[in-house]
Amino acid sequence: MDNKKSQNDNTIDRREFFRKTAAASVAAVAGTSVLSSDAMADDPAIMHHVPWGQKWGDPVTKNRYGMPSKYEHNVTRRNTKLLASGNFQASIAVTPIHESMGIITPNGLFFSRSHGGVAHVDPNMYRLMIHGLVEKPIVLTLEELKRYPSVTRTHFIECPANGGQEWRGPQYNSIQFAKGFMSCAEWTGVYVKDILADLGLKPEAKWMLTEGSDNSEMGRTVPIDKVLDDAMIVWGQNGEALRPEQGYPVRLLLPGWEGNLCVKWLKRLEFSDEPWYCKEETSKYTALKPTGKAIQHFYANEVNSTVTSPSPEIDWSNLKDGDIVEIEGLAWSGMGTITGVDLSFDGGKTYVEAKLKGLVLPKCWTRWSYIHTYKKGEKLLLTSRAMDDAGYIQPTIDQEVSVMGVESVYHRNAVETWEVTETGKVNHVQMRTPGGVKNA
Amino acid sequence: MLKLNTRFMAGASVVAAVLLMAGCTQNSAEPKETKVAAKATIDGGVAYPVVNDKMGPYYVNPQVAAVAPKINNGRIPTANELKAWDKDIQAGGKGLPEGSGSVEEGEELYEAKCVMCHGDFGSGGGGYPALSKGNAYELQKTLTNNRWHDPEADGPTRVFGSYWPQASTLWWYIRDGMPHPKSKTLTDDEVYALTAYILNINEMEIDGEEIDDEFVLDREKFARIKMPNVDGFEPKIDGPDGLENVRNYYANPKNFGAIKVKPSERCMTGCQEETVEVVRIQGAGISDFMPPMSVVRDAPEEKKEEKIDPKEVYNNTCAMCHSGYLSPGSAEWKPFVAEGMETVYKKAIEGTPNGMPAKGGTDLSDANFKLVVDYVVNGK
């Protein structure tokens, strides 16, 4: 769409603005409104001096690295034993996306998955080796790596097991655990292809091994197509150095692809004519189908979306009849750019078109919105469905399960539903045919 | 309500045809077909080529492409440096060092360094992965088990023997990632021995030869291992057609459960099967979240380090290993306690070669961790 045109279309002049707001105010006075509140008790938060207004605050010398308000202490990553492979070194802590604003996840809340614990790499001892089927192998220090001309891109990273515990039915009454195996950040680094321009990739190179220096020596195989498209080696996250949980000082970033492919604490890239078989691309991160065959090298996280407000965590139990409320959510696709999101109030039987808002970027969280007037006691089944510019649309649960079965673990992107009850509570439910649709 | 016969994933044309037949209402808003002349990528998505110094929505500096071939950063690694880091193992054992180890030696090592997490005979436990569930060839047949019609049915068994396509993965990961708390501490011979033992407990054969207690694995025999599920994966990535196979696989949405549709032809009414029901979370669901879920904005409790609950630390950290063996108050502690509690504390705080991580991987003070040790030893 033409931005300039849409802005002009939406412009209302100053005179019209005053006319409209005046009319609204008259209507408000006529009914019950905030202006006719003489019967209400005075609010102590207004009537008295507040404690922080009558004494010195902290000196600017405190907290050299700023911290969130102490009142935000419940906004944290969370974990569960179900997602621990024996311990919390090989485990995941997930993002409170019910508290996320915009499309950037703050670094302290970015979901954290490791296979051998979070390594603490001394940047002075950091080395990156690039070798194999290249004309010139190299070793880079961190300083030398950061000397390459940089690029900055905003991309989500998602664990392909996001929603993966719920193939056979809903399990978590929580958006943090049902959808929070992902985050989105602005990354700074260098395109791998820009480094390869100097090294000279040999024509027989088809695959790249990417290997971490952590306790698990995390490895994955990357096809050359991605390496020469948008694969990045990154050291910056939202304007500062990567956090240790994201691979400080350097990780691989394969925009849109499974998080585990974006190997952290990156140590080595090797090019070969044959693929490797790393542990995390055979024993895990393979999707078993009902045919008994499993999909390996399942790279991109497919088009997906969720309603973030309301959510099981932050529901509508405080809303009054007639309140105007914004239904909000996220949409994302590892295969391209979000082109639209539809919203259903009946669990995905019928849809209306929601509105995208803010920046709409490739392989990036995209915010969407729909304005709703709440009727006290109404029962809703809120389902969102996203599309991307590669042409994909989210399947129903029945559609996805009819191909993938229920044992795949990974890459579940069917539409998901929040049930709003009469009291405004929100529950995670699924709209599906019990036992699955009959396969011919 | 309109009934859509979309039981199978359908390509765009099929979906469109079904929608027309069913008279599904069209989206009233303007279509949002992509305008980017983006080329298809290996993953089934789209790429954004640089056009007019922009890559999609991002500006790029065109000078970079021109100078990139001349950016001469870094240095060439020495032969010894390459040897030190280039130690990966590929399919068929390509890259394996010389060495050997027997099933018997492997079992001894396993009992000393692995059993506390992976359980007796690799049966798993405490959330740690199982390494065997029995005969690999029989269990490979369970991979078609799918619990969509009957939740009580047996699911597929995905362990090393029944599922993994290549044995090289096992050898490589044991050497680099195991034992988990002290990785990269095994010799090559020990890795051969442990691999032999794991082949043994999976009841596997090499060229018809049974892998019994006397069996000695070496590089030559390793190359002849054929995993029961070697053909169980798609797309095929080996050989000269590997990349093309992957491209073709993801060019077809039916292969991976995806749907393509023109935005203007997407379903807006009657989009669910009539058999669909609202399926709710069974029982209490999963809610053992740490920390417990809360969206309250209050002043946090000042939690002093002195106030740890040893039982809570045990449950969250130690129980993973210390539940089957050396569990709280277990008689198995006797020989350790006989050496004196100071020795037990020292081992617990510093870690042991047999797998106990320093302070169990916690960052507690020594004094607090001793309280945890007291709990695990005495059970109170």
Side-chain angles (χ1 to χ4, degrees), chain A residues 331-358:
Chain A
W332 64 99
S333 170
M335 291 170 153
T337 306
I338 293 297
T339 52
V341 176
D342 300 317
L343 177 65
S344 171
F345 292 86
D346 58 11
K349 291 175 185 161
T350 61
Y351 284 97
V352 293
E353 195 177 88
K355 303 295 175 189
L356 303 186
K357 56 176 198 174

PDB file of all heavy atoms in Angstrom, chain A residues 331-358:
ATOM      1  N   ALA A 331       1.861 -11.757  14.748  1.00  0.00           N
ATOM      2  CA  ALA A 331       1.914 -12.696  13.629  1.00  0.00           C
ATOM      3  C   ALA A 331       3.363 -12.748  13.169  1.00  0.00           C
ATOM      4  O   ALA A 331       4.089 -11.760  13.316  1.00  0.00           O
ATOM      5  CB  ALA A 331       1.003 -12.238  12.488  1.00  0.00           C
ATOM      6  N   TRP A 332       3.785 -13.898  12.658  1.00  0.00           N
ATOM      7  CA  TRP A 332       5.171 -14.028  12.218  1.00  0.00           C
ATOM      8  C   TRP A 332       5.281 -15.160  11.213  1.00  0.00           C
ATOM      9  O   TRP A 332       4.457 -16.077  11.218  1.00  0.00           O
ATOM     10  CB  TRP A 332       6.100 -14.272  13.423  1.00  0.00           C
ATOM     11  CG  TRP A 332       5.859 -15.547  14.165  1.00  0.00           C
ATOM     12  CD1 TRP A 332       6.552 -16.715  14.043  1.00  0.00           C
ATOM     13  CD2 TRP A 332       4.846 -15.797  15.173  1.00  0.00           C
ATOM     14  NE1 TRP A 332       6.044 -17.675  14.906  1.00  0.00           N
ATOM     15  CE2 TRP A 332       5.009 -17.142  15.604  1.00  0.00           C
ATOM     16  CE3 TRP A 332       3.833 -15.029  15.737  1.00  0.00           C
ATOM     17  CZ2 TRP A 332       4.184 -17.720  16.577  1.00  0.00           C
ATOM     18  CZ3 TRP A 332       3.005 -15.609  16.716  1.00  0.00           C
ATOM     19  CH2 TRP A 332       3.196 -16.940  17.117  1.00  0.00           C
ATOM     20  N   SER A 333       6.274 -15.060  10.345  1.00  0.00           N
ATOM     21  CA  SER A 333       6.543 -16.129   9.396  1.00  0.00           C
ATOM     22  C   SER A 333       8.034 -16.181   9.108  1.00  0.00           C
ATOM     23  O   SER A 333       8.656 -15.152   8.836  1.00  0.00           O
ATOM     24  CB  SER A 333       5.791 -15.899   8.082  1.00  0.00           C
ATOM     25  OG  SER A 333       6.272 -16.827   7.107  1.00  0.00           O
ATOM     26  N   GLY A 334       8.589 -17.363   9.163  1.00  0.00           N
ATOM     27  CA  GLY A 334       9.996 -17.544   8.827  1.00  0.00           C
ATOM     28  C   GLY A 334      10.227 -17.669   7.336  1.00  0.00           C
ATOM     29  O   GLY A 334      11.350 -17.835   6.881  1.00  0.00           O
ATOM     30  N   MET A 335       9.126 -17.605   6.559  1.00  0.00           N
ATOM     31  CA  MET A 335       9.238 -17.784   5.108  1.00  0.00           C
ATOM     32  C   MET A 335       9.055 -16.488   4.351  1.00  0.00           C
ATOM     33  O   MET A 335       9.122 -16.485   3.124  1.00  0.00           O
ATOM     34  CB  MET A 335       8.205 -18.804   4.659  1.00  0.00           C
ATOM     35  CG  MET A 335       8.534 -20.193   5.149  1.00  0.00           C
ATOM     36  SD  MET A 335       7.134 -21.255   4.844  1.00  0.00           S
ATOM     37  CE  MET A 335       7.916 -22.839   4.697  1.00  0.00           C
ATOM     38  N   GLY A 336       8.766 -15.413   5.060  1.00  0.00           N
ATOM     39  CA  GLY A 336       8.573 -14.151   4.357  1.00  0.00           C
ATOM     40  C   GLY A 336       8.003 -13.086   5.275  1.00  0.00           C
ATOM     41  O   GLY A 336       8.315 -13.040   6.465  1.00  0.00           O
ATOM     42  N   THR A 337       7.120 -12.251   4.694  1.00  0.00           N
ATOM     43  CA  THR A 337       6.559 -11.100   5.396  1.00  0.00           C
ATOM     44  C   THR A 337       5.062 -11.330   5.615  1.00  0.00           C
ATOM     45  O   THR A 337       4.383 -11.853   4.721  1.00  0.00           O
ATOM     46  CB  THR A 337       6.763  -9.826   4.538  1.00  0.00           C
ATOM     47  OG1 THR A 337       8.158  -9.722   4.228  1.00  0.00           O
ATOM     48  CG2 THR A 337       6.314  -8.575   5.274  1.00  0.00           C
ATOM     49  N   ILE A 338       4.569 -10.943   6.765  1.00  0.00           N
ATOM     50  CA  ILE A 338       3.141 -11.072   7.037  1.00  0.00           C
ATOM     51  C   ILE A 338       2.361 -10.128   6.115  1.00  0.00           C
ATOM     52  O   ILE A 338       2.696  -8.948   5.985  1.00  0.00           O
ATOM     53  CB  ILE A 338       2.845 -10.741   8.520  1.00  0.00           C
ATOM     54  CG1 ILE A 338       3.468 -11.807   9.436  1.00  0.00           C
ATOM     55  CG2 ILE A 338       1.332 -10.626   8.769  1.00  0.00           C
ATOM     56  CD1 ILE A 338       2.907 -13.209   9.258  1.00  0.00           C
ATOM     57  N   THR A 339       1.330 -10.671   5.443  1.00  0.00           N
ATOM     58  CA  THR A 339       0.523  -9.836   4.547  1.00  0.00           C
ATOM     59  C   THR A 339      -0.856  -9.555   5.133  1.00  0.00           C
ATOM     60  O   THR A 339      -1.535  -8.629   4.683  1.00  0.00           O
ATOM     61  CB  THR A 339       0.329 -10.515   3.177  1.00  0.00           C
ATOM     62  OG1 THR A 339      -0.165 -11.843   3.395  1.00  0.00           O
ATOM     63  CG2 THR A 339       1.636 -10.571   2.412  1.00  0.00           C
ATOM     64  N   GLY A 340      -1.283 -10.345   6.094  1.00  0.00           N
ATOM     65  CA  GLY A 340      -2.593 -10.093   6.677  1.00  0.00           C
ATOM     66  C   GLY A 340      -2.884 -11.051   7.813  1.00  0.00           C
ATOM     67  O   GLY A 340      -2.278 -12.121   7.904  1.00  0.00           O
ATOM     68  N   VAL A 341      -3.800 -10.633   8.688  1.00  0.00           N
ATOM     69  CA  VAL A 341      -4.236 -11.479   9.793  1.00  0.00           C
ATOM     70  C   VAL A 341      -5.758 -11.393   9.869  1.00  0.00           C
ATOM     71  O   VAL A 341      -6.336 -10.311   9.754  1.00  0.00           O
ATOM     72  CB  VAL A 341      -3.623 -11.015  11.139  1.00  0.00           C
ATOM     73  CG1 VAL A 341      -4.177 -11.847  12.303  1.00  0.00           C
ATOM     74  CG2 VAL A 341      -2.107 -11.115  11.108  1.00  0.00           C
ATOM     75  N   ASP A 342      -6.402 -12.541  10.023  1.00  0.00           N
ATOM     76  CA  ASP A 342      -7.852 -12.580  10.224  1.00  0.00           C
ATOM     77  C   ASP A 342      -8.138 -12.994  11.652  1.00  0.00           C
ATOM     78  O   ASP A 342      -7.361 -13.736  12.262  1.00  0.00           O
ATOM     79  CB  ASP A 342      -8.494 -13.590   9.267  1.00  0.00           C
ATOM     80  CG  ASP A 342      -8.231 -13.238   7.804  1.00  0.00           C
ATOM     81  OD1 ASP A 342      -8.343 -12.044   7.473  1.00  0.00           O
ATOM     82  OD2 ASP A 342      -7.872 -14.143   7.034  1.00  0.00           O
ATOM     83  N   LEU A 343      -9.266 -12.508  12.169  1.00  0.00           N
ATOM     84  CA  LEU A 343      -9.650 -12.822  13.543  1.00  0.00           C
ATOM     85  C   LEU A 343     -11.030 -13.455  13.534  1.00  0.00           C
ATOM     86  O   LEU A 343     -11.931 -12.999  12.819  1.00  0.00           O
ATOM     87  CB  LEU A 343      -9.656 -11.540  14.395  1.00  0.00           C
ATOM     88  CG  LEU A 343     -10.106 -11.704  15.846  1.00  0.00           C
ATOM     89  CD1 LEU A 343      -9.137 -12.585  16.631  1.00  0.00           C
ATOM     90  CD2 LEU A 343     -10.233 -10.340  16.517  1.00  0.00           C
ATOM     91  N   SER A 344     -11.186 -14.508  14.324  1.00  0.00           N
ATOM     92  CA  SER A 344     -12.470 -15.194  14.441  1.00  0.00           C
ATOM     93  C   SER A 344     -12.966 -15.088  15.877  1.00  0.00           C
ATOM     94  O   SER A 344     -12.171 -15.151  16.817  1.00  0.00           O
ATOM     95  CB  SER A 344     -12.310 -16.662  14.046  1.00  0.00           C
ATOM     96  OG  SER A 344     -13.476 -17.393  14.352  1.00  0.00           O
ATOM     97  N   PHE A 345     -14.273 -14.915  16.038  1.00  0.00           N
ATOM     98  CA  PHE A 345     -14.877 -14.885  17.380  1.00  0.00           C
ATOM     99  C   PHE A 345     -15.576 -16.211  17.684  1.00  0.00           C
ATOM    100  O   PHE A 345     -16.142 -16.381  18.750  1.00  0.00           O
ATOM    101  CB  PHE A 345     -15.888 -13.729  17.472  1.00  0.00           C
ATOM    102  CG  PHE A 345     -15.231 -12.377  17.413  1.00  0.00           C
ATOM    103  CD1 PHE A 345     -14.957 -11.769  16.203  1.00  0.00           C
ATOM    104  CD2 PHE A 345     -14.862 -11.729  18.589  1.00  0.00           C
ATOM    105  CE1 PHE A 345     -14.345 -10.522  16.153  1.00  0.00           C
ATOM    106  CE2 PHE A 345     -14.251 -10.484  18.553  1.00  0.00           C
ATOM    107  CZ  PHE A 345     -13.984  -9.875  17.335  1.00  0.00           C
ATOM    108  N   ASP A 346     -15.583 -17.136  16.701  1.00  0.00           N
ATOM    109  CA  ASP A 346     -16.289 -18.405  16.894  1.00  0.00           C
ATOM    110  C   ASP A 346     -15.365 -19.611  16.675  1.00  0.00           C
ATOM    111  O   ASP A 346     -15.785 -20.642  16.161  1.00  0.00           O
ATOM    112  CB  ASP A 346     -17.511 -18.477  15.974  1.00  0.00           C
ATOM    113  CG  ASP A 346     -17.135 -18.317  14.491  1.00  0.00           C
ATOM    114  OD1 ASP A 346     -15.918 -18.356  14.179  1.00  0.00           O
ATOM    115  OD2 ASP A 346     -18.044 -18.146  13.660  1.00  0.00           O
ATOM    116  N   GLY A 347     -14.089 -19.433  17.039  1.00  0.00           N
ATOM    117  CA  GLY A 347     -13.172 -20.566  16.984  1.00  0.00           C
ATOM    118  C   GLY A 347     -12.746 -20.953  15.583  1.00  0.00           C
ATOM    119  O   GLY A 347     -12.449 -22.116  15.329  1.00  0.00           O
ATOM    120  N   GLY A 348     -12.738 -19.993  14.666  1.00  0.00           N
ATOM    121  CA  GLY A 348     -12.204 -20.267  13.342  1.00  0.00           C
ATOM    122  C   GLY A 348     -13.226 -20.765  12.344  1.00  0.00           C
ATOM    123  O   GLY A 348     -12.868 -21.302  11.304  1.00  0.00           O
ATOM    124  N   LYS A 349     -14.528 -20.608  12.668  1.00  0.00           N
ATOM    125  CA  LYS A 349     -15.540 -20.951  11.657  1.00  0.00           C
ATOM    126  C   LYS A 349     -15.691 -19.795  10.681  1.00  0.00           C
ATOM    127  O   LYS A 349     -15.706 -19.988   9.472  1.00  0.00           O
ATOM    128  CB  LYS A 349     -16.874 -21.276  12.336  1.00  0.00           C
ATOM    129  CG  LYS A 349     -16.826 -22.579  13.131  1.00  0.00           C
ATOM    130  CD  LYS A 349     -18.121 -22.827  13.891  1.00  0.00           C
ATOM    131  CE  LYS A 349     -17.988 -24.065  14.761  1.00  0.00           C
ATOM    132  NZ  LYS A 349     -19.002 -24.092  15.831  1.00  0.00           N
ATOM    133  N   THR A 350     -15.843 -18.574  11.214  1.00  0.00           N
ATOM    134  CA  THR A 350     -15.905 -17.381  10.359  1.00  0.00           C
ATOM    135  C   THR A 350     -14.836 -16.388  10.802  1.00  0.00           C
ATOM    136  O   THR A 350     -14.457 -16.354  11.974  1.00  0.00           O
ATOM    137  CB  THR A 350     -17.281 -16.692  10.457  1.00  0.00           C
ATOM    138  OG1 THR A 350     -17.486 -16.289  11.816  1.00  0.00           O
ATOM    139  CG2 THR A 350     -18.399 -17.608  10.037  1.00  0.00           C
ATOM    140  N   TYR A 351     -14.362 -15.637   9.844  1.00  0.00           N
ATOM    141  CA  TYR A 351     -13.279 -14.679  10.123  1.00  0.00           C
ATOM    142  C   TYR A 351     -13.639 -13.277   9.659  1.00  0.00           C
ATOM    143  O   TYR A 351     -14.387 -13.097   8.694  1.00  0.00           O
ATOM    144  CB  TYR A 351     -11.999 -15.099   9.383  1.00  0.00           C
ATOM    145  CG  TYR A 351     -11.263 -16.262  10.019  1.00  0.00           C
ATOM    146  CD1 TYR A 351     -11.450 -17.561   9.555  1.00  0.00           C
ATOM    147  CD2 TYR A 351     -10.372 -16.048  11.074  1.00  0.00           C
ATOM    148  CE1 TYR A 351     -10.769 -18.627  10.132  1.00  0.00           C
ATOM    149  CE2 TYR A 351      -9.682 -17.108  11.649  1.00  0.00           C
ATOM    150  CZ  TYR A 351      -9.884 -18.390  11.169  1.00  0.00           C
ATOM    151  OH  TYR A 351      -9.201 -19.446  11.732  1.00  0.00           O
ATOM    152  N   VAL A 352     -13.107 -12.284  10.367  1.00  0.00           N
ATOM    153  CA  VAL A 352     -13.082 -10.911   9.867  1.00  0.00           C
ATOM    154  C   VAL A 352     -11.611 -10.517   9.738  1.00  0.00           C
ATOM    155  O   VAL A 352     -10.737 -11.126  10.361  1.00  0.00           O
ATOM    156  CB  VAL A 352     -13.809  -9.923  10.803  1.00  0.00           C
ATOM    157  CG1 VAL A 352     -15.293 -10.215  10.829  1.00  0.00           C
ATOM    158  CG2 VAL A 352     -13.219  -9.979  12.215  1.00  0.00           C
ATOM    159  N   GLU A 353     -11.356  -9.472   8.949  1.00  0.00           N
ATOM    160  CA  GLU A 353      -9.977  -9.074   8.730  1.00  0.00           C
ATOM    161  C   GLU A 353      -9.514  -8.153   9.858  1.00  0.00           C
ATOM    162  O   GLU A 353     -10.168  -7.153  10.165  1.00  0.00           O
ATOM    163  CB  GLU A 353      -9.868  -8.348   7.389  1.00  0.00           C
ATOM    164  CG  GLU A 353      -8.449  -8.233   6.915  1.00  0.00           C
ATOM    165  CD  GLU A 353      -8.376  -7.579   5.548  1.00  0.00           C
ATOM    166  OE1 GLU A 353      -8.310  -6.346   5.503  1.00  0.00           O
ATOM    167  OE2 GLU A 353      -8.404  -8.308   4.538  1.00  0.00           O
ATOM    168  N   ALA A 354      -8.397  -8.504  10.491  1.00  0.00           N
ATOM    169  CA  ALA A 354      -7.802  -7.627  11.504  1.00  0.00           C
ATOM    170  C   ALA A 354      -6.873  -6.640  10.799  1.00  0.00           C
ATOM    171  O   ALA A 354      -6.638  -6.749   9.598  1.00  0.00           O
ATOM    172  CB  ALA A 354      -7.045  -8.456  12.530  1.00  0.00           C
ATOM    173  N   LYS A 355      -6.361  -5.655  11.553  1.00  0.00           N
ATOM    174  CA  LYS A 355      -5.495  -4.633  10.970  1.00  0.00           C
ATOM    175  C   LYS A 355      -4.052  -4.832  11.426  1.00  0.00           C
ATOM    176  O   LYS A 355      -3.815  -5.043  12.613  1.00  0.00           O
ATOM    177  CB  LYS A 355      -5.964  -3.237  11.400  1.00  0.00           C
ATOM    178  CG  LYS A 355      -7.409  -2.932  11.036  1.00  0.00           C
ATOM    179  CD  LYS A 355      -7.601  -2.877   9.527  1.00  0.00           C
ATOM    180  CE  LYS A 355      -9.082  -2.689   9.185  1.00  0.00           C
ATOM    181  NZ  LYS A 355      -9.326  -2.845   7.739  1.00  0.00           N
ATOM    182  N   LEU A 356      -3.136  -4.740  10.480  1.00  0.00           N
ATOM    183  CA  LEU A 356      -1.722  -4.753  10.863  1.00  0.00           C
ATOM    184  C   LEU A 356      -1.365  -3.382  11.391  1.00  0.00           C
ATOM    185  O   LEU A 356      -1.946  -2.375  11.004  1.00  0.00           O
ATOM    186  CB  LEU A 356      -0.839  -5.091   9.656  1.00  0.00           C
ATOM    187  CG  LEU A 356      -1.140  -6.405   8.941  1.00  0.00           C
ATOM    188  CD1 LEU A 356      -0.086  -6.659   7.852  1.00  0.00           C
ATOM    189  CD2 LEU A 356      -1.179  -7.571   9.920  1.00  0.00           C
ATOM    190  N   LYS A 357      -0.389  -3.329  12.313  1.00  0.00           N
ATOM    191  CA  LYS A 357       0.024  -1.996  12.782  1.00  0.00           C
ATOM    192  C   LYS A 357       1.525  -1.959  13.044  1.00  0.00           C
ATOM    193  O   LYS A 357       2.131  -2.958  13.384  1.00  0.00           O
ATOM    194  CB  LYS A 357      -0.774  -1.564  14.005  1.00  0.00           C
ATOM    195  CG  LYS A 357      -0.755  -2.485  15.192  1.00  0.00           C
ATOM    196  CD  LYS A 357      -1.533  -1.841  16.345  1.00  0.00           C
ATOM    197  CE  LYS A 357      -1.194  -2.497  17.663  1.00  0.00           C
ATOM    198  NZ  LYS A 357      -1.800  -1.833  18.819  1.00  0.00           N
ATOM    199  N   GLY A 358       2.089  -0.774  12.884  1.00  0.00           N
ATOM    200  CA  GLY A 358       3.518  -0.588  13.092  1.00  0.00           C
ATOM    201  C   GLY A 358       4.304  -1.071  11.891  1.00  0.00           C
ATOM    202  O   GLY A 358       3.788  -1.189  10.792  1.00  0.00           O
TER     203      GLY A 358
END
